[in-house]
Amino acid sequence: MKIPANSEMAQRFKDNEDLLKRMNHGLEKKIASKEQEIKQVDELYDKKLVAAKTEGEREYIQGLERNNQRLVGETKNYEEKMQGYKDQLKKAQDTVEKEQEALKGSHRDKLADLKDQMETNYQDQYLSSEESQREIQSSTQDAVKEIATKSKIEKMAMESNAQYEINALSSEFNQKAATGERNFREKLDNDVRLHNMEVERQKSELKKMMTMDAEKNKRLSDEKNRVHKDQLSFQDKHQQEMLKQRESDFKVRYERMVKEHDEILNHLKTTFAADVKKMVDQTSSEKKQISDKVADPFYRVDKLNPSMVEDLETVTISLPVADYEKENVHLSTQGRNIKITLSRKYSDSTNGEDGSMNRSTRSELFSKEFNAKDLLSPKHITQNYQDGVLTFKIKKA
């Protein structure tokens, strides 16, 4: 007869396997959590590094903007000064032009006055000559030609003198005008040369200031870059130390967890081995008991041998049966007839070499019938199992 597998031993074995799986799963989760923590630390380090670089670049750009604003202000001041110099130069040129125009106007006025005076003198002399001619003509008719000739000679002489005086005055005026213009040109050229020298000097000073500012800005930029690099180096070193410290802490915690896990696994293995040995011993003992019971004729049922005792009120039916078979025994009555049955079902399963499972099922049924002297009540049946004997009591109707 096939013996079913011990369900309690299988359940404990399954519980131990589940516990081992849960512990492995918990350890995997802890390892994944630590890896995620390291990843977060790396991301935080990268973010802080990017933020430090961005802050340094922003400060550098702000410094450049301040320098550019300062250069723009200096350039604006220089342009304003240049515009002032240009305005002063324009005013000076306007003044010179006005003086030149005034001088030319004065010369023209003087020349016009001289011409008017010469014309007036000439007119006066001409009138005087005509009057003398009329006087001479009235005094004598014969002396007309002589007087006319004299008058003509005098007229030509006077015109020659007048022309000479006009030429002399014109030459003197031209010399004075050329001298004044030459002096004005020399003064103007001298002023322009001085102005150009002043502009060149200011340009040189501005260029020197711009060069000094550029050198100063370069020194500031170099100093800022150096400070920025020192800060980045310090932060990088600090982050590296923090990472090393955290990695060391994680390594210590990981080694401690691995050690604890190994200890737990060793404890579980020891406990599991002890439980398996205990279950094997228990199963061996139970198997031996079952084998002994199977070998015992009491536990080998091939027919039913009940005994019946009848009194005035009840009928007692006794049947020797193994304890694991008592639930399979059933008793029924109908009138005086009594029927007792034993039904049992066996199942077995084996695993094939290809991994398949073979199942087999077998059923057995034993029955026995006998009659009582009186009618029986099927509603008043009790049963009791004691010392390997199953007892039924039936009340009579």
Side-chain angles (χ1 to χ4, degrees):
M1 182 175 58
K2 301 286 184 179
I3 305 301
N6 192 311
S7 60
E8 182 179 358
M9 182 180 69
Q11 184 64 35
R12 293 180 66 182
F13 185 76
K14 185 177 180 181
D15 292 341
N16 288 330
E17 286 184 344
D18 293 339
L19 178 61
L20 185 59
K21 288 180 180 179
R22 286 197 300 271
M23 292 186 66
N24 288 329
H25 183 66
L27 184 60
E28 290 175 356
K29 288 178 66 177
K30 288 182 179 180
I31 293 174
S33 175
K34 295 302 178 182
E35 290 178 350
Q36 184 67 25
E37 183 178 352
I38 292 175
K39 185 177 180 182
Q40 291 177 356
V41 171
D42 292 337
E43 291 177 355
L44 180 61
Y45 171 71
D46 293 337
K47 289 181 180 178
K48 287 186 177 181
L49 186 61
V50 171
K53 290 182 178 178
T54 305
E55 182 67 23
E57 291 175 356
R58 184 165 57 251
E59 291 179 357
Y60 178 70
I61 291 172
Q62 290 177 356
L64 288 179
E65 290 179 354
R66 289 194 296 271
N67 292 332
N68 290 332
Q69 291 176 359
R70 184 178 177 183
L71 290 174
V72 168
E74 294 294 335
T75 305
K76 186 176 180 181
N77 293 332
Y78 173 72
E79 290 177 352
E80 290 177 355
K81 289 181 180 180
M82 292 298 296
Q83 186 64 36
Y85 292 145
K86 288 180 180 179
D87 293 339
Q88 291 178 3
L89 179 60
K90 186 176 180 181
K91 288 180 180 179
Q93 289 177 351
D94 294 339
T95 303
V96 170
E97 289 177 357
K98 288 180 180 179
E99 290 179 355
Q100 188 176 5
E101 290 295 330
L103 184 59
K104 288 181 179 180
S106 177
H107 290 170
R108 284 195 298 268
D109 293 339
K110 289 181 178 180
L111 185 59
D113 291 338
L114 290 173
K115 286 181 178 181
D116 292 339
Q117 186 178 359
M118 292 298 296
E119 288 179 357
T120 302
N121 294 332
Y122 176 76
Q123 188 69 30
D124 292 338
Q125 291 177 3
Y126 181 76
L127 292 175
S128 178
S129 297
E130 286 184 349
E131 185 178 355
S132 297
Q133 187 179 5
R134 281 194 301 269
E135 290 178 356
I136 292 170
Q137 189 177 7
S138 63
S139 60
T140 179
Q141 189 71 29
D142 296 334
V144 172
K145 291 182 180 180
E146 185 179 357
I147 293 172
T149 301
K150 289 181 180 181
S151 176
K152 186 176 181 180
I153 293 172
E154 290 179 358
K155 180 180 178 181
M156 291 176 64
M158 291 178 66
E159 286 179 355
S160 177
N161 293 330
Q163 186 66 36
Y164 176 77
E165 290 180 0
I166 289 172
N167 291 334
L169 290 173
S170 178
S171 176
E172 183 180 359
F173 170 74
N174 291 331
Q175 288 179 359
K176 289 183 179 180
T179 302
E181 185 175 0
R182 185 171 59 255
N183 293 333
F184 171 74
R185 288 294 181 185
E186 290 177 355
K187 183 178 180 182
L188 180 63
D189 292 339
N190 188 31
D191 292 340
V192 170
R193 186 172 62 257
L194 293 176
H195 175 70
N196 291 331
M197 290 174 64
E198 181 66 19
V199 169
E200 290 296 329
R201 186 185 65 79
Q202 291 180 359
K203 284 183 178 180
S204 178
E205 290 180 356
L206 179 60
K207 187 176 181 180
K208 188 182 296 183
M209 290 176 63
M210 292 178 67
T211 304
M212 292 175 63
D213 290 339
E215 292 177 354
K216 184 177 180 181
N217 291 332
K218 185 178 180 182
R219 288 196 301 272
L220 290 175
S221 178
D222 294 339
E223 182 67 18
K224 187 181 294 182
N225 291 331
R226 186 185 64 77
V227 173
H228 181 60
K229 288 181 180 179
D230 292 340
Q231 290 178 352
L232 288 178
S233 177
F234 174 75
Q235 292 179 356
D236 183 63
K237 185 177 180 181
H238 180 64
Q239 292 292 337
Q240 292 293 335
E241 291 178 355
M242 288 181 64
L243 285 175
K244 288 181 180 178
Q245 183 65 30
R246 293 193 177 185
E247 185 177 358
S248 177
D249 295 341
F250 173 74
K251 186 175 181 181
V252 172
R253 290 197 300 269
Y254 176 75
E255 290 176 353
R256 185 170 62 250
M257 289 174 61
V258 170
K259 185 177 179 181
E260 292 176 355
H261 178 67
D262 292 339
E263 292 176 355
I264 293 172
L265 285 178
N266 293 330
H267 177 70
L268 287 175
K269 287 179 181 178
T270 304
T271 305
F272 180 70
D275 291 341
V276 169
K277 186 175 183 302
K278 183 177 180 182
M279 286 189 290
V280 169
D281 295 339
Q282 184 178 356
T283 303
S284 299
S285 177
E286 292 177 355
K287 187 176 180 180
K288 185 175 183 303
Q289 292 178 3
I290 292 172
S291 298
D292 294 340
K293 289 181 180 180
V294 170
D296 191 346
F298 175 77
Y299 293 98
R300 290 186 298 171
V301 179
D302 54 1
K303 64 179 180 178
L304 299 178
N305 294 315
S307 61
M308 182 178 67
V309 178
E310 186 174 356
D311 55 24
L312 295 176
E313 295 182 355
T314 62
V315 175
T316 302
I317 306 296
S318 299
L319 177 66
V321 66
D323 55 354
Y324 57 84
E325 297 283 7
K326 63 184 179 180
E327 300 296 336
N328 299 325
V329 178
H330 301 280
L331 184 141
S332 62
T333 63
Q334 186 175 4
R336 294 184 180 87
N337 182 264
I338 301 172
K339 183 178 182 180
I340 186 168
T341 60
L342 171 62
S343 63
R344 55 190 177 184
K345 185 176 182 181
Y346 300 98
S347 61
D348 191 14
S349 62
T350 59
N351 294 324
E353 295 181 356
D354 57 353
S356 61
M357 181 175 288
N358 301 316
R359 297 180 182 274
S360 62
T361 304
R362 184 165 60 89
S363 299
E364 290 182 346
L365 179 63
F366 302 92
S367 67
K368 190 167 186 177
E369 296 184 10
F370 44 89
N371 294 321
K373 296 179 180 180
D374 298 318
L375 295 175
L376 302 174
S377 175
K379 295 182 179 180
H380 298 85
I381 300 174
T382 60
Q383 72 178 41
N384 182 32
Y385 182 81
Q386 186 175 4
D387 298 331
V389 178
L390 183 61
T391 302
F392 295 93
K393 283 189 178 183
I394 310 166
K395 286 188 177 181
K396 294 182 178 180

